[in-house]
Amino acid sequence: MTDSLFSAVELATAGRAGYRLQHVEVFNWGTFDSRVWRLSPHGETSLLTGDIGSGKSTLVDAITTLLLPANKIAYNKAAGADSRERTLRSYVEGHYKSERIEATGASRPIGLRDQNAYSVVLGVFVNDGYDETVTLAQVFHQKDRTGQPDRFFVTATSELSVETDFAGFGADLNSLRRRLRVGGAEITNGFPDYGRTVRRLLGIRSEQAMELFHQTVSMKSVGNLNEFVRNHMLEPADAAAKVKGIVGHFEDLTKAHDAVKRAREQLEALRPLVATTVKYDDALVRRADFEAQRQAVRLFFAELRIRLLGETIASNTDLRAHRAAEADEAGAGRHRLAADREQLITERTGAGGDRVSQLEQLASSLRAEAQVRRGRRDRFSARLADAGLVDAGLVDGGLAESGLSEVTDAGSFSALLTATPIARQAATDEQAALDGQVGELTVSQGELKRTSEETNTELFSLAGRTSNLPSSQLEIRGQLCADLGIDESELPFAGELIDVGDDHSAWRGAAERVLRGFALSLIVPQHHYDGVARWVNERRLTHRRTDGRVVGSRLVYERMPARRVRVKSPTASGVLLLADTLEVRDGPFRDYLEGELVRRADYRCVADLAQFRDERRAVTKQGQVRSGDRHEKDDRSRVDDPKAWVLGWVNERKVAALTEQRSEQQRLLVDLDEQLKRARARRTAAQSRVTALASLAEYTSWAELDWASALSEAEQHHAERSRLLSGSSTLTEIERRLEANAERLPPSTTD
């Protein structure tokens, strides 16, 4: 057992992994002149000791030069020297003392080498754990006596040495470059590329590690370990940027969480839609199936119909053939009967029957004419009845006539023709008068319906509020507030905030007359004034009537300034001013309204005309207003009619008055409906009489209506024929046979 954390074997094995300095060589570096000098730590921790000036710091600066850029190196810092005591030039030229110039009094350094010499610093690093070797080298030469020396940088993945690889190339350093490249070394002219290659070969991931090496390579003491670690061992970090990034990341996570939550809520909201969509798709499938079945049913019935029709056609074909045979047989029989009839007619003629045949034809013709005249007479009688001239009806086969006049012969018919134009003109005049009456009643009915609907609309509006303002004004304010995003309570009408006190209710009508215009004014605070003025100016003010029509409207608004001087009410002992009868609702508009009422309602409330004549500004309870020499009384509505009120925040009396008005309007509508029905019925009757009287013009002769005379003449011809037949048995027999033949002979048909 051991008390250490790791065993000695583990420490030995783990300690050889990583690049360690195998040895460092310098040639013409500082006071190490003319040959190659080597320091060999062999990858172990080494202690470099010696007298002052023996070159310890020179070798440390050589190792530092291999790993860091010259502009960051503080040479000879390990010896505690001034940062300007040694430079890269002093090492390359080998400065070892200074001499004074007598002429100028200044001093100049003395070096071991001139500009023709070159210097080499070389370090070999070995990674025993992975059997890898890296060589770093820098070659310096001085072109002139001023400025920093030129150099190039060499890196190789094999072990190089100064004597073998950096000597024997002649006087041209380019030959040295070519030889090194051929040997596999990489040569660069700038430290940035060289530094990146060094970190890559040595496995150094951060440039900060080289900075830490620079700080610790010749460190003598550490004042504050925390500050040292913070400044030299930690990468610089922008805490503000990281905090901002963390906050941004947190906000992104919050947004993502909100998005996921919103998406879940949307999915939950859409879940019924998905279920409905599934049902809809299923319904579509079932519908398509039903439509396919319906199409199949159509084809099925078509095929069934074809089969049934085919059977019917076959049956009808057989029946047609049978009926054709019967028709042929009936035709042959008809021809035989026709031939027999002709034979009988010939026999009747030979027996003296021409007059009998003629009388038969005359009687038959007159009977047909009587039938035509009778139908015409019936139509004539019906038109007489429609015209209001005659009431007619068929009684026992004859025409029973009664009414205003009787038309039974040519004389009465002629009198009727004379009276018809007069009756027609009278009926036309009556129809025109009834048309006008119906039109007036229709207009009155429409106007009454419109006012009734307006009353209903106003009652419906009053049910949802407490003010007495017209709904058309509230509709305009609603449009304005909705478009500007303002609460309606911030833009009140003056009438909503002013009321007449209960103690002075007798003066309410007068207050309504005087303040109606101001009550219908919108109060606009200063901070809303620009928006309201722009909104009113850019559109046509409208409201929708009860019949659906959009009509123009009127809006008055008062600007309430942000700052105003309070107006004091004039004091007059024993005198009642109209302003004293008013109350103003508490709120931000109270002071403004009280000031306006002092100015607008400073009328003396007088009891009689004597006081009215003596005052400059006065008002009576009857609503007469005096302002100087101007007098006004507006009795378009009663002074005590609540339907016209606009002041106050209690509307029960206005609702009651409008309810009573609506009941009266409904009663008037019922009366108008009855009057209109009666007028329309009378107009329809007049129109029927005008039409009937006009239709009588087509009857011009009594003969075309006298069916009785035609029937009487036919009976006379029939009686004469009967007498002729009774005097001859032969003709009687022939007539009997003709009648039998006529019964058997079917009527003639045409194909």
Side-chain angles (χ1 to χ4, degrees), residues 553-564:
S553 189
R554 179 173 182 263
L555 176 66
V556 177
Y557 63 94
E558 300 272 348
R559 180 179 65 87
M560 185 181 76
R563 297 180 180 179
R564 53 192 176 273

Side-chain angles (χ1 to χ4, degrees), residues 158-333:
S158 60
E159 183 178 350
L160 304 179
S161 65
V162 176
E163 293 181 352
T164 304
D165 300 296
F166 291 86
F169 57 85
D172 188 4
L173 289 177
N174 290 328
S175 299
L176 176 60
R177 290 172 183 264
R178 287 192 294 271
R179 189 172 72 181
L180 291 172
R181 285 195 180 97
V182 171
E186 180 180 351
I187 298 176
T188 56
N189 293 321
F191 190 88
D193 294 337
Y194 168 76
R196 284 190 292 271
T197 303
V198 170
R199 290 194 298 274
R200 176 176 56 82
L201 292 176
L202 298 181
I204 301 173
R205 298 181 179 180
S206 174
E207 189 175 358
Q208 184 70 18
M210 304 305 295
E211 182 66 25
L212 178 62
F213 170 77
H214 175 226
Q215 296 297 327
T216 58
V217 65
S218 56
M219 181 178 62
K220 292 182 176 293
S221 64
V222 176
N224 189 316
L225 184 59
N226 290 335
E227 290 294 331
F228 178 81
V229 172
R230 183 180 295 112
N231 294 333
H232 302 295
M233 299 185 68
L234 298 179
E235 295 285 349
D238 187 356
K242 288 186 177 180
V243 171
K244 184 177 180 181
I246 292 172
V247 172
H249 183 60
F250 177 77
E251 292 178 352
D252 292 340
L253 290 176
T254 303
K255 292 178 180 178
H257 176 267
D258 293 340
V260 171
K261 183 178 178 182
R262 185 168 57 255
R264 288 178 178 172
E265 294 174 352
Q266 291 173 348
L267 288 175
E268 289 298 326
L270 290 175
R271 196 178 302 280
L273 179 61
V274 173
T276 304
T277 303
V278 172
K279 293 181 180 178
Y280 177 75
D281 293 339
D282 181 61
L284 287 179
V285 172
R286 289 188 287 109
R287 177 184 174 183
D289 184 42
F290 291 153
E291 288 180 348
Q293 293 180 16
R294 184 176 63 183
Q295 296 294 332
V297 167
R298 184 180 302 173
L299 295 176
F300 170 77
F301 280 107
E303 293 176 355
L304 179 61
R305 185 178 181 186
I306 290 172
R307 181 173 61 81
L308 295 176
L309 289 176
E311 295 175 355
T312 304
I313 290 172
S315 176
N316 289 338
T317 300
D318 296 339
L319 182 60
R320 179 180 180 184
H322 180 67
R323 292 287 186 267
E326 291 180 351
D328 292 341
E329 184 178 354

